[in-house]
Amino acid sequence: MKKYFPSSELIINEDGSVFHLHVKPEWLADKVILVGDPGRVALVASHFENKECEVESREFKTVTGTYKGKRITVVSTGIGCDNIDIVMNELDALANINFETREEKDEFRQLELVRIGTCGGLQPNTPVGTFICSQKSIGFDGLLNFYAGRNAVCDLPFECAFINHMGWSGNMCAPAPYVIDASEELIERIAKDDMVRGVTIAAGGFFGPQGRELRIPLADPKQNDKIEAFEYKGFKITNFEMESSALAGLSRLMGHKAMTVCMVIANRLIKEANTGYKNTIDILVRTVLDRI
Ligand code: R1P
Ligand code: URA
């Protein structure tokens, strides 16, 4: 029996587009670039030879076009793993659910998703300007815990080692961090050997969860010192951003390929930041467009 999705579960707008993204099934390419900032969609699309659709709703802006003969969709997700839940489920529905019958399609269509973002670097080898691809992501967000199969796709020994190292229990562990790998095939093809391969913490906020203290003290003042010192089987934690864990986790559960690559705009170790990054992130955009 085919799975059927009623209108309360998969909301389709009157024009046949999916609820939040406002994208119609025929507009979705197999290759998808995700960016946080809606303004970054125009930057990616400025390299397209042609645009076949352009749509915007809330923080979700989408353009599908062609780059050197490759059909690519670029979508902005806004900030945070909660938005990744929306974007990934709606993209997967566009690819793998028939919007006329509301049934799962017979043949699975696999998407290739690359997130291009910005991040905070945590190590001496991640100064401002470094491109870090998230080989593993540590999700502080808890999103994946709501889906069956979470344990089968996560690196459970790594999770234990990290929690033990942090000495966290109770509220600091709720939800428990989950550790998830990006697509190895995409990393080989896109990160090649000119990007740092790292372990990324996808934090549930920009300030406290990333150890930034303004007026309110942190629950664990030693959090970032411990994160910077953590090492497990040769892996060290390289950077903070806010979406890679949910992207890698949901992609694994759904059967898609995904990876995140971010440009470092603040190095937390040496306390430097670059707010003029909007001009330089284009180098990363062009590199990903060439390799996707
Ligand atoms: C925080 O400033 C935002 O920047 C990073 C974080 O993941 C978070 O979304 O990525 P983007 O530049 O893609 O938004
Ligand atoms: N994005 C983040 O999430 N953290 C940083 O420090 C910089 C960009």
Side-chain angles (χ1 to χ4, degrees):
M1 259 262 289
K2 278 190 194 167
K3 241 180 160 178
Y4 175 82
F5 307 96
S7 61
S8 58
E9 310 308 294
L10 172 61
I11 306 180
I12 298 174
N13 300 316
E14 276 179 12
D15 66 356
S17 65
V18 72
F19 187 49
H20 294 94
L21 301 187
H22 279 255
V23 172
K24 295 184 183 182
E26 60 271 26
W27 293 343
L28 177 66
D30 290 342
K31 294 178 189 294
V32 181
I33 291 181
L34 302 175
V35 294
D37 181 358
R40 210 173 295 146
V41 171
L43 176 67
V44 175
S46 70
H47 299 289
F48 290 172
E49 289 113 36
N50 73 301
K51 288 186 206 164
E52 61 182 91
C53 82
E54 194 160 356
V55 64
E56 191 169 354
S57 171
R58 299 185 186 230
E59 57 268 65
F60 310 113
K61 185 172 166 60
T62 305
V63 175
T64 295
T66 308
Y67 175 82
K68 295 189 181 167
K70 296 182 282 195
R71 188 171 183 244
I72 298 174
T73 295
V74 52
V75 187
S76 61
T77 66
I79 290 180
C81 286
D82 45 352
N83 279 355
I84 295 293
D85 184 63
I86 290 173
V87 171
M88 281 304 297
N89 274 289
E90 293 196 354
L91 291 178
D92 182 66
L94 288 165
N96 288 302
I97 295 175
N98 182 325
F99 273 34
E100 302 295 324
T101 62
R102 295 185 161 276
E103 286 175 344
E104 193 168 350
K105 290 183 183 167
D106 291 330
E107 247 180 65
F108 173 67
R109 179 177 164 207
Q110 187 181 53
L111 303 176
E112 206 174 281
L113 303 120
V114 180
R115 169 174 142 68
I116 304 175
T118 60
C119 68
L122 289 167
Q123 299 293 341
N125 70 331
T126 60
V128 166
T130 311
F131 300 154
I132 305 179
C133 100
S134 308
Q135 194 169 359
K136 286 183 184 289
S137 290
I138 305 179
F140 280 11
D141 53 283
L143 184 91
L144 219 61
N145 299 335
F146 289 87
Y147 292 92
R150 170 246 194 262
N151 282 355
V153 297
C154 286
D155 187 338
L156 304 182
F158 195 120
E159 288 174 11
C160 285
F162 179 71
I163 292 168
N164 287 340
H165 172 86
M166 297 302 285
W168 283 354
S169 59
N171 284 348
M172 294 301 293
C173 269
Y178 61 92
V179 177
I180 186 87
D181 288 1
S183 155
E184 275 173 39
E185 191 273 323
L186 278 190
I187 291 181
E188 286 304 319
R189 179 151 44 94
I190 291 171
K192 293 195 190 285
D193 50 15
D194 53 11
M195 294 181 191
V196 170
R197 293 177 194 208
V199 179
T200 301
I201 289 179
F206 186 80
F207 290 94
Q210 298 189 23
R212 284 190 172 92
E213 184 174 315
L214 297 187
R215 286 198 326 107
I216 313 170
L218 299 173
D220 180 356
K222 295 262 174 266
Q223 170 182 310
N224 279 17
D225 294 341
K226 288 187 272 179
I227 286 173
E228 282 152 18
F230 175 75
E231 192 160 357
Y232 175 73
K233 291 191 173 170
F235 289 104
K236 283 181 82 74
I237 296 170
T238 46
N239 58 324
F240 276 124
E241 52 82 86
M242 296 175 64
E243 294 83 13
S244 62
S245 55
L247 172 61
L250 288 176
S251 298
R252 288 233 161 225
L253 292 176
M254 290 169 176
H256 302 301
K257 289 184 188 175
M259 67 166 274
T260 290
V261 57
C262 288
M263 188 176 80
V264 177
I265 61 158
N267 188 289
R268 307 297 304 287
L269 202 60
I270 55 172
K271 313 257 183 269
E272 64 167 11
N274 170 19
T275 50
Y277 67 89
K278 287 194 173 147
N279 301 325
T280 43
I281 201 163
D282 193 42
I283 298 169
L284 180 57
V285 167
R286 278 186 278 124
T287 306
V288 171
L289 282 170
D290 282 335
R291 295 176 184 178
I292 194 173

